[in-house]
Amino acid sequence: MSWILLVLLVAIGTYLMRLLPLWVTLRAEPARTSGSEARGRALALAAPAIIAALLVASVVPAKPEATASEMARRLIGLSVAAVAFRWRPHLAMAVFVGVAVYAVLSLL
Amino acid sequence: MRDWLAGLRASLPIAVGYLPVAVAFGLAARSAGLSVFEAVFASAAVFAGASQFALVGLAGAGSASVVALATALALNVRHLLYGPVLAPLLRGCARGWQALLAFGLTDEVFATAAARLATVPEGVRHRWLLGLVTGAYGAWVAGTWLGAAGGSLLVALLPRLGPVLAFALPVLFLVLLLPLLHGSAAVTAAVAAVVTLPLHLAGRTGLGLLVGTITGVLAGMVWDRWMTQKHSQREIE
């Protein structure tokens, strides 16, 4: 199989995984059943669950190549970003502050 | 246009985080023997980092195409959850817009949309989300091209600059999560994180994200029910 064909198949599969559940859910919406309240609650809780899972996967390295000091830099950067966001809830600024602190710590 | 620009502005942290990863993908694709066009085509068509890296790795290692295809798709199974979560927020969008926007639902675009789309007026959400997708997609494709076509300067810069810029993504996830952490959502997030961690450390990140999410949601619902029962018991007393 050529590279282009392989990429196309993965692209189509990925796209369908993103699109079809959206359409299926929207189509099912008007036909509300007794379980729709529980389903709505589950979907509302899915957002924090997914974001928390993504956070863990992006902070903790899958391979144990990160040293304790690297983990400390990451945790300090995240903590400062959290404090900045609590102080002033501006998303881009908090991200910038977190990255800047991590950059400075990486240079030390 | 104003709503599209607002979405584009919201994509800035994603774009900053995507650039070094996309550059790394471009470099990896070139070292696996792919042309600049083939590398950029992969980013433009698939727009999913983990499966693209897997494709390059497996194709470069000479693995059978079916194995590469199955692995790349398996890594994206978690995307099945994104549409249903965003569906209530996109109910007013035309089907054509839904079809267009679904293409850009990466982890980071999803997380930003799930956390912020409710604050965008319903009639303009599709334009805001298109701006968000445009910024993320543009950075991903441009970064891939830079990595694939760039020379030794990028190779020299990436080890120092790459990790710093890529750190924008975990910070983004954290900042998106913070406003959601109250009541059962906090329990949900904590359980999801705890369940994801060991599977991620075992090298099964895709599975960890899926199992962590489902377990977290179930824990949140159990917590909800428990709190409701506790509350109604107090009212009876």
Side-chain angles (χ1 to χ4, degrees):
Chain A
M1 199 186 300
S2 76
W3 170 258
I4 297 291
L5 181 61
L6 185 61
V7 165
L8 269 178
L9 290 174
V10 174
I12 291 166
T14 302
Y15 177 60
L16 291 178
M17 277 194 260
R18 289 170 178 170
L19 176 67
L20 292 182
L22 175 70
W23 274 1
V24 168
T25 310
L26 285 168
R27 179 165 280 207
E29 276 298 302
R32 289 193 169 271
T33 61
S34 57
S36 66
E37 196 186 324
R39 195 173 58 230
R41 189 68 197 131
L43 290 177
L45 289 173
I50 295 169
I51 299 173
L54 289 168
L55 173 64
V56 165
S58 59
V59 173
V60 182
K63 291 173 193 160
E65 86 278 8
T67 58
S69 58
E70 171 59 20
M71 276 312 293
R73 276 195 291 273
R74 292 181 190 191
L75 292 177
I76 292 169
L78 288 172
S79 307
V80 173
V83 171
F85 188 73
R86 286 286 182 212
W87 175 60
R88 196 158 289 184
H90 189 283
L91 192 135
M93 190 204 72
V95 172
F96 175 77
V97 168
V99 172
V101 167
Y102 176 78
V104 170
L105 292 173
S106 299
L107 287 173
L108 294 176
Chain B
M1 188 69 179
R2 201 180 55 187
D3 309 303
W4 182 81
L5 282 174
L8 194 66
R9 270 199 304 276
S11 78
L12 192 65
I14 303 177
V16 168
Y18 272 7
L19 261 177
V21 185
V23 168
F25 172 74
L27 286 167
R30 290 290 280 152
S31 21
L34 298 171
S35 67
V36 176
F37 171 77
E38 286 171 326
V40 174
F41 178 73
S43 280
V46 180
F47 193 28
S51 55
Q52 287 179 226
F53 275 103
L55 269 184
V56 164
L58 290 169
S63 297
S65 299
V66 180
V67 175
L69 177 64
T71 308
L73 288 175
L75 284 168
N76 291 334
V77 167
R78 67 185 181 282
H79 292 185
L80 291 169
L81 298 170
Y82 296 172
V85 176
L86 291 183
L89 298 165
L90 295 174
R91 200 176 291 133
C93 290
R95 276 173 81 87
W97 274 101
Q98 290 162 6
L100 177 68
L101 296 169
F103 172 76
L105 287 184
T106 60
D107 295 335
E108 295 74 16
V109 169
F110 161 77
T112 307
R116 299 190 59 189
L117 208 52
T119 62
V120 179
E122 200 172 331
V124 299
R125 281 179 187 163
H126 57 295
R127 287 201 288 269
W128 186 89
L129 191 49
L130 183 67
L132 186 73
V133 170
T134 306
Y137 184 69
W140 185 249
V141 175
T144 303
W145 177 78
L146 272 174
S152 51
L153 178 68
L154 278 172
V155 179
L157 275 177
L158 202 63
R160 275 192 97 76
L161 198 59
V164 170
L165 295 178
F167 189 66
L169 296 179
V171 182
L172 175 68
F173 289 135
L174 175 72
V175 175
L176 290 171
L177 185 62
L178 285 175
L180 305 177
L181 293 180
H182 43 78
S184 53
V187 176
T188 299
V191 172
V194 168
V195 173
T196 303
L197 185 60
L199 285 163
H200 168 63
L201 288 173
R204 309 294 301 270
T205 304
L207 183 69
L209 291 170
L210 206 62
V211 175
T213 298
I214 292 166
T215 318
V217 169
L218 290 174
M221 292 182 80
V222 169
W223 177 268
D224 256 351
R225 180 164 288 192
W226 184 63
M227 290 306 280
T228 311
Q229 278 174 354
K230 208 172 146 185
H231 190 69
S232 47
Q233 258 180 354
R234 263 194 205 149
E235 275 183 356
I236 291 166
E237 284 166 12

